[in-house]
Amino acid sequence: MTIKKVCVVGSGTMGSGIAQVSAQAGYETTMVDVKQELLDRGMNMIKSSLGKFVQKEKIKQEDMSKTLTRLHTSIDMRNAAKDADYVIEAVFERAEVKLPIFGQLEEICPKETILASNTSGIPVSLLASATRRPDKVIGTHFMNPVPLMKGVEIVKTLLTSEQTLKVSLDFVKSLGKETVVVKDSPGFVTNRIITLVMNEAAKLLEENLASIEDIDKIEKLSHNWPMGPFELADMVGIDVLVDLLEGVYQQTGWERYKPAPILKRMVELGYTGRKVGKGFYQVFGQG
Ligand SMILES: NC(=O)c1ccc[n+]([C@@H]2O[C@H](COP(=O)([O-])OP(=O)(O)OC[C@H]3O[C@@H](n4cnc5c(N)ncnc54)[C@H](O)[C@@H]3O)[C@@H](O)[C@H]2O)c1
């Protein structure tokens, strides 16, 4: 199977990043969202990211222009997905939002189209259950920020076919990424680990053990991490983090995944991190 057209559903932090690397790799790529202004925001994120690559001389201005000509936007999923070879869903981390999209894609897409999800922890099998092609449903869990992070977890369900797996591995590798195949289990590998780190940091803050700057500082200096847990949470999105933790907690009942109350309070107040310019550093820090 040759992939030419890619459709990315959702133009937020991840969708725009995935659409960017897809277009950079030469695929005709259409991003879908529910409002044009959200698509415009996604395109602006892409332009700014590509602009930084040009500035740092990682790509040429000409590469940026060519990439942009391969990128399209649409608020009409039918138009965007009707002839797509590969679809990647990257909408909110809520099963009730993702399931109808998989149901619609089943109706819209040609029968050979592979339907991938960028979910961070919702069972890919559950998403596959909304389709009549569970063998062609797979998880492609890109990391944030997509243009910079090399690793992608490829989530294979009990029914994902070897062919879907192979095409997906080749496709993701063609985007310049490295892959690891994991079982369809709550939080996969990456989010079983990293969400606990951020949740624990939030609990330390609740206990007044240290300031957010100091917690980030000591973690960076002690483990050579490029970011501290609060910087990471602000980048991932506090709402996304809460959804991730809740997702694993609800599926497993493991107490350690219960979101620290402070995270929930921040989401209620709209302090969801860098994407809205308000996160841990604005509530508790100097930023
Ligand atoms: N943010 C991260 O660090 C990160 C990392 C890895 C995976 N993920 C996963 O990627 C997915 C997207 O996360 P994000 O951070 O980009 O979220 P986001 O909130 O930045 O973007 C989600 C986008 O989906 C759009 N959307 C919602 N319903 C839609 C619909 N019916 N049709 C089309 N578009 C719709 C929203 O308008 C929004 O623009 C989630 O499953 C998340 O768990 C996120």
Side-chain angles (χ1 to χ4, degrees), residues 200-256:
E200 197 58 35
K203 289 179 192 170
L204 297 182
L205 187 68
E206 282 176 333
E207 291 168 27
N208 276 327
L209 244 82
S211 69
I212 98 162
E213 288 89 347
D214 280 352
I215 294 172
D216 273 354
K217 179 178 169 185
I218 198 66
E219 286 304 308
K220 286 192 278 192
L221 292 175
S222 308
H223 309 303
N224 241 356
W225 289 356
M227 300 175 115
F230 294 107
E231 287 168 323
L232 183 62
D234 278 348
M235 189 185 78
V236 168
I238 318 294
D239 50 343
V240 174
L241 173 60
V242 168
D243 287 346
L244 287 172
L245 286 160
E246 292 275 16
V248 181
Y249 177 59
Q250 278 160 20
Q251 289 178 69
T252 62
W254 293 328
E255 283 289 318
R256 60 187 187 276

XYZ file of all heavy atoms in Angstrom, residues 200-256:
454
model
N 3.185 13.331 40.925
C 3.931 13.349 42.187
C 4.479 14.756 42.453
O 4.462 15.225 43.594
C 5.063 12.312 42.141
C 5.645 11.936 43.498
C 4.606 11.378 44.481
O 3.678 10.686 44.050
O 4.740 11.674 45.696
N 4.945 15.424 41.392
C 5.450 16.793 41.557
C 4.322 17.694 42.069
O 4.530 18.526 42.964
C 5.983 17.309 40.225
N 3.107 17.523 41.521
C 1.962 18.329 41.971
C 1.657 18.040 43.442
O 1.321 18.948 44.215
C 0.750 18.031 41.099
N 1.815 16.785 43.845
C 1.562 16.447 45.255
C 2.618 17.083 46.153
O 2.320 17.564 47.249
C 1.560 14.921 45.438
C 0.339 14.240 44.823
C 0.418 12.747 45.032
C -0.606 12.022 44.186
N -0.411 10.567 44.185
N 3.874 17.109 45.701
C 4.943 17.756 46.477
C 4.620 19.233 46.672
O 4.838 19.798 47.748
C 6.289 17.637 45.757
C 6.864 16.244 45.543
C 8.219 16.324 44.853
C 7.008 15.502 46.862
N 4.085 19.846 45.621
C 3.721 21.263 45.693
C 2.588 21.461 46.700
O 2.622 22.393 47.515
C 3.290 21.732 44.307
C 3.042 23.221 44.156
C 4.342 24.004 44.286
C 2.401 23.507 42.795
N 1.601 20.570 46.664
C 0.484 20.648 47.617
C 0.989 20.533 49.051
O 0.436 21.130 49.964
C -0.522 19.527 47.347
C -1.433 19.801 46.168
C -2.352 18.638 45.846
O -2.005 17.477 46.140
O -3.424 18.893 45.278
N 2.034 19.715 49.220
C 2.584 19.522 50.573
C 3.563 20.632 50.955
O 4.182 20.570 52.019
C 3.323 18.175 50.639
C 2.415 16.965 50.554
C 3.212 15.680 50.316
O 4.393 15.614 50.713
O 2.646 14.756 49.707
N 3.759 21.606 50.049
C 4.705 22.712 50.288
C 6.126 22.245 50.552
O 6.851 22.853 51.331
C 4.250 23.560 51.486
C 3.238 24.584 51.073
O 3.293 25.092 49.952
N 2.289 24.846 51.961
N 6.524 21.175 49.908
C 7.887 20.663 50.120
C 8.935 21.602 49.550
O 10.013 21.746 50.112
C 8.024 19.297 49.436
C 8.274 18.152 50.375
C 6.965 17.669 50.976
C 8.968 17.017 49.647
N 8.611 22.197 48.409
C 9.537 23.133 47.761
C 8.742 23.914 46.725
O 7.599 23.546 46.405
C 10.675 22.354 47.087
N 9.362 24.985 46.206
C 8.662 25.790 45.197
C 8.703 25.072 43.854
O 9.516 24.154 43.654
C 9.346 27.153 45.046
O 10.617 26.971 44.446
N 7.871 25.542 42.933
C 7.862 24.867 41.637
C 9.191 25.075 40.902
O 9.686 24.165 40.258
C 6.635 25.220 40.769
C 6.901 26.278 39.744
C 5.442 25.637 41.496
C 5.803 26.209 38.708
N 9.777 26.270 41.079
C 11.071 26.510 40.418
C 12.123 25.557 40.973
O 12.936 25.008 40.238
C 11.563 27.950 40.646
C 10.795 29.004 39.882
C 9.602 29.524 40.671
O 9.228 28.907 41.698
O 9.036 30.539 40.253
N 12.104 25.382 42.298
C 13.131 24.532 42.911
C 12.935 23.054 42.562
O 13.912 22.326 42.363
C 13.154 24.728 44.432
C 13.912 25.993 44.806
O 14.533 26.588 43.892
O 13.871 26.392 45.980
N 11.682 22.629 42.502
C 11.437 21.222 42.125
C 11.935 20.997 40.683
O 12.652 20.036 40.408
C 9.940 20.846 42.277
C 9.537 20.902 43.761
C 9.662 19.455 41.701
C 8.040 20.738 44.035
N 11.594 21.925 39.793
C 12.070 21.784 38.402
C 13.598 21.828 38.355
O 14.226 21.014 37.664
C 11.490 22.912 37.521
C 10.112 22.553 36.951
O 9.670 21.397 37.139
O 9.481 23.432 36.324
N 14.161 22.774 39.125
C 15.618 22.955 39.081
C 16.354 21.692 39.531
O 17.249 21.203 38.840
C 15.990 24.137 39.981
C 17.473 24.436 40.052
C 17.718 25.654 40.945
C 19.190 25.813 41.239
N 19.443 26.911 42.191
N 15.931 21.140 40.659
C 16.676 19.997 41.196
C 16.505 18.752 40.317
O 17.437 17.960 40.156
C 16.310 19.715 42.682
C 17.375 18.850 43.356
C 14.936 19.088 42.828
C 18.709 19.506 43.509
N 15.328 18.614 39.722
C 15.131 17.456 38.822
C 15.993 17.588 37.563
O 16.587 16.613 37.119
C 13.646 17.324 38.432
C 12.778 16.783 39.547
C 13.265 15.441 40.080
O 13.483 14.516 39.280
O 13.467 15.324 41.307
N 16.069 18.814 37.049
C 16.877 19.006 35.835
C 18.359 18.767 36.138
O 19.046 18.069 35.406
C 16.690 20.431 35.288
C 15.347 20.625 34.622
C 15.270 21.903 33.843
C 14.962 23.086 34.718
N 14.615 24.301 33.989
N 18.801 19.339 37.263
C 20.223 19.222 37.585
C 20.602 17.802 38.013
O 21.710 17.348 37.781
C 20.593 20.202 38.716
C 20.524 21.675 38.335
C 20.797 22.548 39.554
C 21.512 21.989 37.215
N 19.666 17.113 38.647
C 20.007 15.804 39.207
C 19.932 14.670 38.187
O 20.645 13.688 38.302
C 19.058 15.455 40.358
O 19.026 16.511 41.277
N 19.015 14.803 37.237
C 18.826 13.686 36.299
C 19.127 14.067 34.855
O 18.836 13.300 33.958
C 17.383 13.170 36.375
C 16.933 12.868 37.763
N 17.592 11.987 38.578
C 15.894 13.339 38.492
C 16.977 11.935 39.744
N 15.952 12.756 39.728
N 19.669 15.289 34.694
C 19.970 15.749 33.335
C 18.721 15.839 32.460
O 18.786 15.631 31.250
C 20.971 14.795 32.664
C 22.231 15.539 32.299
O 22.306 16.754 32.491
N 23.209 14.823 31.795
N 17.576 16.093 33.068
C 16.359 16.248 32.274
C 16.372 17.625 31.618
O 16.792 18.599 32.253
C 15.111 16.166 33.169
C 14.827 14.799 33.700
C 15.495 13.649 33.411
C 13.784 14.454 34.621
N 14.931 12.598 34.098
C 13.879 13.062 34.844
C 12.783 15.172 35.260
C 13.016 12.381 35.687
C 11.924 14.491 36.104
C 12.033 13.112 36.311
N 15.900 17.705 30.377
C 15.867 19.024 29.728
C 14.811 19.947 30.332
O 14.911 21.163 30.249
C 15.527 18.696 28.270
C 14.896 17.350 28.311
C 15.445 16.625 29.494
N 13.781 19.366 30.935
C 12.713 20.168 31.564
C 12.379 19.565 32.911
O 12.512 18.349 33.101
C 11.420 20.096 30.741
C 11.509 20.591 29.366
S 9.934 20.280 28.537
C 9.414 21.941 28.276
N 11.879 20.421 33.816
C 11.385 19.906 35.082
C 9.943 19.428 34.908
O 9.314 19.710 33.883
N 9.390 18.735 35.930
C 8.031 18.198 35.789
C 6.958 19.267 35.585
O 5.975 19.030 34.872
C 7.801 17.439 37.097
C 8.908 17.828 38.011
C 10.035 18.321 37.174
N 7.137 20.474 36.176
C 6.117 21.522 35.991
C 6.220 22.151 34.606
O 5.199 22.461 33.980
C 6.233 22.593 37.085
C 5.916 22.050 38.445
C 6.928 21.843 39.370
C 4.620 21.693 38.791
C 6.644 21.312 40.625
C 4.324 21.157 40.033
C 5.340 20.962 40.956
N 7.449 22.335 34.156
C 7.611 22.856 32.782
C 6.988 21.875 31.797
O 6.317 22.268 30.844
C 9.105 23.029 32.454
C 9.743 24.194 33.168
C 11.266 24.184 33.061
O 11.871 23.098 33.095
O 11.839 25.274 32.964
N 7.205 20.596 32.062
C 6.655 19.566 31.177
C 5.126 19.576 31.225
O 4.451 19.522 30.186
C 7.200 18.192 31.583
C 6.778 17.023 30.704
C 7.293 17.199 29.268
C 7.291 15.701 31.272
N 4.574 19.666 32.443
C 3.104 19.675 32.587
C 2.509 20.876 31.848
O 1.488 20.748 31.157
C 2.719 19.706 34.059
N 3.163 22.039 31.973
C 2.674 23.230 31.261
C 2.721 23.013 29.755
O 1.859 23.486 29.013
C 3.512 24.462 31.616
C 3.067 25.105 32.934
O 1.989 24.734 33.446
O 3.799 25.973 33.446
N 3.743 22.298 29.298
C 3.867 22.065 27.861
C 2.840 21.030 27.376
O 2.170 21.228 26.366
C 5.269 21.592 27.502
C 5.497 21.557 26.014
S 7.078 20.875 25.592
C 6.750 19.151 25.798
N 2.689 19.947 28.148
C 1.734 18.888 27.761
C 0.311 19.425 27.805
O -0.532 19.096 26.958
C 1.877 17.685 28.722
C 0.745 16.694 28.571
C 3.223 16.996 28.500
N 0.020 20.276 28.766
C -1.350 20.759 29.008
C -1.863 20.100 30.273
O -1.893 18.868 30.358
N -2.284 20.914 31.257
C -2.733 20.355 32.542
C -4.023 19.550 32.334
O -4.232 18.518 32.966
C -2.994 21.456 33.605
C -1.914 22.539 33.590
C -3.128 20.855 35.005
C -0.544 22.135 33.993
N -4.873 20.025 31.404
C -6.111 19.284 31.107
C -5.797 17.922 30.501
O -6.389 16.906 30.869
C -7.023 20.109 30.179
C -6.307 20.660 28.947
O -5.056 20.695 28.922
O -6.995 21.042 27.988
N -4.806 17.915 29.594
C -4.406 16.642 28.974
C -3.850 15.708 30.056
O -4.185 14.519 30.108
C -3.353 16.881 27.857
C -2.821 15.564 27.293
C -3.954 17.719 26.732
N -3.032 16.260 30.948
C -2.447 15.444 32.020
C -3.533 14.829 32.908
O -3.487 13.626 33.223
C -1.487 16.316 32.855
C -0.906 15.671 34.111
C -0.095 14.409 33.764
C -0.039 16.666 34.880
N -4.526 15.658 33.282
C -5.619 15.144 34.131
C -6.375 14.035 33.395
O -6.651 12.972 33.965
C -6.583 16.292 34.552
C -7.863 15.743 35.166
C -5.885 17.233 35.531
N -6.641 14.248 32.124
C -7.353 13.222 31.338
C -6.542 11.927 31.270
O -7.096 10.828 31.354
C -7.640 13.725 29.917
C -8.744 14.776 29.885
O -9.454 14.923 30.893
O -8.886 15.459 28.857
N -5.239 12.080 31.117
C -4.375 10.887 31.027
C -4.407 10.091 32.323
O -4.563 8.865 32.326
C -2.921 11.312 30.777
C -2.581 11.824 29.397
C -1.164 12.372 29.375
C -2.720 10.701 28.397
N -4.237 10.828 33.435
C -4.235 10.167 34.741
C -5.581 9.494 34.991
O -5.651 8.330 35.384
C -3.936 11.189 35.842
C -2.483 11.663 35.931
C -2.385 12.986 36.683
C -1.594 10.617 36.587
N -6.664 10.243 34.742
C -8.017 9.694 34.947
C -8.224 8.445 34.095
O -8.830 7.477 34.546
C -9.095 10.716 34.537
C -9.197 11.934 35.411
C -10.082 11.736 36.634
O -10.371 10.578 36.970
O -10.440 12.759 37.248
N -7.684 8.511 32.874
C -7.858 7.380 31.948
C -7.253 6.107 32.524
O -7.898 5.053 32.551
N -6.027 6.199 33.019
C -5.371 5.001 33.578
C -6.071 4.610 34.882
O -6.340 3.433 35.126
C -3.856 5.243 33.823
C -3.208 3.974 34.379
C -3.162 5.658 32.538
N -6.407 5.620 35.702
C -7.057 5.347 36.992
C -8.389 4.617 36.791
O -8.665 3.601 37.437
C -7.263 6.663 37.751
C -7.991 6.498 39.060
C -7.485 5.665 40.062
C -9.194 7.164 39.292
C -8.160 5.500 41.264
C -9.865 7.006 40.484
C -9.353 6.173 41.466
O -10.028 6.005 42.648
N -9.183 5.138 35.839
C -10.500 4.513 35.623
C -10.389 3.099 35.063
O -11.188 2.238 35.385
C -11.354 5.382 34.709
C -12.016 6.506 35.493
C -12.470 7.651 34.610
O -12.639 7.474 33.409
N -12.644 8.830 35.198
N -9.368 2.875 34.258
C -9.241 1.537 33.661
C -8.625 0.516 34.611
O -8.841 -0.679 34.470
C -8.368 1.602 32.403
C -9.043 2.295 31.231
C -8.099 2.351 30.042
O -7.793 1.340 29.444
N -7.617 3.521 29.723
N -7.824 1.011 35.581
C -7.083 0.059 36.429
C -7.478 0.130 37.901
O -7.266 -0.818 38.640
C -5.568 0.350 36.369
O -5.357 1.679 36.879
C -5.032 0.250 34.959
N -7.977 1.307 38.335
C -8.278 1.511 39.750
C -7.030 1.762 40.593
O -7.114 1.846 41.815
N -5.890 1.940 39.941
C -4.651 2.163 40.695
C -4.646 3.588 41.256
O -4.633 4.565 40.508
C -3.419 1.952 39.799
C -3.258 0.519 39.362
C -3.615 -0.599 40.058
C -2.698 0.061 38.125
N -3.304 -1.727 39.332
C -2.743 -1.362 38.155
C -2.149 0.702 37.003
C -2.268 -2.134 37.098
C -1.676 -0.073 35.961
C -1.738 -1.471 36.017
N -4.634 3.674 42.611
C -4.737 4.961 43.319
C -3.667 5.961 42.889
O -3.891 7.163 42.885
C -4.596 4.734 44.834
C -5.838 4.184 45.498
C -6.971 5.198 45.590
O -6.696 6.361 45.906
O -8.126 4.808 45.323
N -2.477 5.424 42.569
C -1.372 6.350 42.264
C -1.654 7.197 41.014
O -0.986 8.197 40.778
C -0.047 5.597 42.138
C 0.011 4.534 41.057
C 1.318 3.745 41.159
N 1.536 2.821 40.059
C 1.042 1.590 40.003
N 0.296 1.138 40.984
N 1.315 0.806 38.978
